[in-house]
Amino acid sequence: MFINERTKPHDLLLYEALSARTALTKEEFRKFKTYKNGYEGELMYDELFDSIGHDNILIYRDVFLNIDNSVTQYDSLIISDKGIISNEIKNFTGNCTVRNGNWFRGNYLIPNNAFSQLNRAVGKLMELRNSAKADFNVAGKLVFPNDTFTFHSDDQSNWDKMILRSGIRDYFHQFNQPGITTGNRAQYISRLISESIVENTFFNPQTDKTRLKFGLYCGNCGSFNLSKKRFHLTCNKCWCTECNETHLLRAMSDYKFLFYNQPMTRNNLLEFIDNDLHHKAISRALLKHCYVDRKGRKTVYTFKYYDFDDALKKSDVYMRYKDHI
Ligand SMILES: [Zn+2]
């Protein structure tokens, strides 16, 4: 059973917000594609796991663990009474060869060695177990959910550490057997993990405000050319209509990831949306969708939701003014 939701990674949300408001540099575009591709691989993995079933195990998805004062990210952690397995999900495509421990795509050397990443992640879990003086198995696999990926290696031991798409179903099936249980030991491991979860400490974007286009944009086609109605904005390019509140939720979510950990005030948000809506509408939305922190004469707002998608799921914005996309 999945313990937590899988959400889009912070970096992907940053690049989505950035690309909506400015032209990305080549390097930014490359990173955007990498994060998007990685996330799509994780969704493929979840879907395949769902299709096989995972009632007999506990699965943490995309968590950051602080173990002995260093933070490591895990794509998927599978817990049962037998122990814990880290799955590093790699949405690789095409031909990959491992020679002398180095990864190559054609003759191009891939900088990150996936095996050393996995070894480090598994090593940190062992540290966690040892410092708790506990006794359970710790293991790890690289999982490649994309069926266009092929792998060649001169070292047979590599194959023990990886699961290709053709073997994923069998791999997941082994967790869906009557002998696999989540009794006291699994609950203990789960508690160790949940006590170690921290926020993503690596995310610290330094967005240059001056390169951003301010304003509200269409959720369907991205155009900033919108016509104002009383409660709605209609796109002049694709005629999609979204209510003011939807636009404000999108703007607040963009603001969160572009200026992470920087305080959001009403004036910041007004500037960010280029005064496209009346300041009273902004105040109402801020009070409804943010935590309010009054600091002397300054009031700072923190978005209540993880991101725009989460906000749409949790808020009642659709109930009153329906969007038409
Ligand atoms: Zn549009």
Side-chain angles (χ1 to χ4, degrees), residues 291-302:
Y291 299 114
V292 183
D293 187 7
R294 292 197 170 83
K295 289 181 175 164
R297 287 174 56 201
K298 202 164 132 187
T299 304
V300 169
Y301 300 90
T302 309

Side-chain angles (χ1 to χ4, degrees), residues 75-121:
D75 293 334
S76 176
L77 289 169
I78 301 170
I79 297 169
S80 72
D81 286 325
K82 288 187 190 269
I84 183 164
I85 301 168
S86 168
N87 278 176
E88 291 278 317
I89 304 163
K90 299 284 176 199
N91 190 10
F92 285 10
T93 53
N95 246 312
C96 203
T97 306
V98 175
R99 289 194 297 267
N100 303 322
N102 294 315
W103 290 65
F104 292 92
R105 194 166 278 154
N107 280 327
Y108 172 71
L109 179 71
I110 303 174
N112 276 341
N113 179 338
F115 289 130
S116 57
Q117 252 179 51
L118 178 71
N119 289 342
R120 184 184 175 277

Side-chain angles (χ1 to χ4, degrees), residues 3 57-58 60 65 77-84 125-138 181-197:
I3 304 279
I57 44 177
L58 306 172
Y60 284 89
L65 302 186
L77 289 169
I78 301 170
I79 297 169
S80 72
D81 286 325
K82 288 187 190 269
I84 183 164
L125 291 175
M126 288 175 174
E127 256 183 76
L128 179 69
R129 175 195 62 192
N130 296 346
S131 64
K133 298 191 171 37
D135 175 27
F136 52 81
N137 285 329
V138 177
T181 49
T182 48
N184 287 344
R185 183 180 286 234
Q187 299 301 332
Y188 173 79
I189 302 170
S190 174
R191 205 164 51 245
L192 268 186
I193 295 300
S194 69
E195 284 168 358
S196 307
I197 292 177

Side-chain angles (χ1 to χ4, degrees), residues 218-223 226 235-240:
C218 168
N220 189 43
C221 76
S223 169
L226 309 173
C235 174
N236 292 326
K237 203 171 151 200
C238 74
W239 307 113
C240 153

Side-chain angles (χ1 to χ4, degrees), residues 39-49 91 145-146 165:
Y39 181 61
E40 283 165 3
E42 290 166 12
L43 295 182
M44 268 189 247
Y45 171 97
D46 289 350
E47 243 174 66
L48 282 160
F49 226 150
N91 190 10
N146 200 311
R165 171 63 182 249

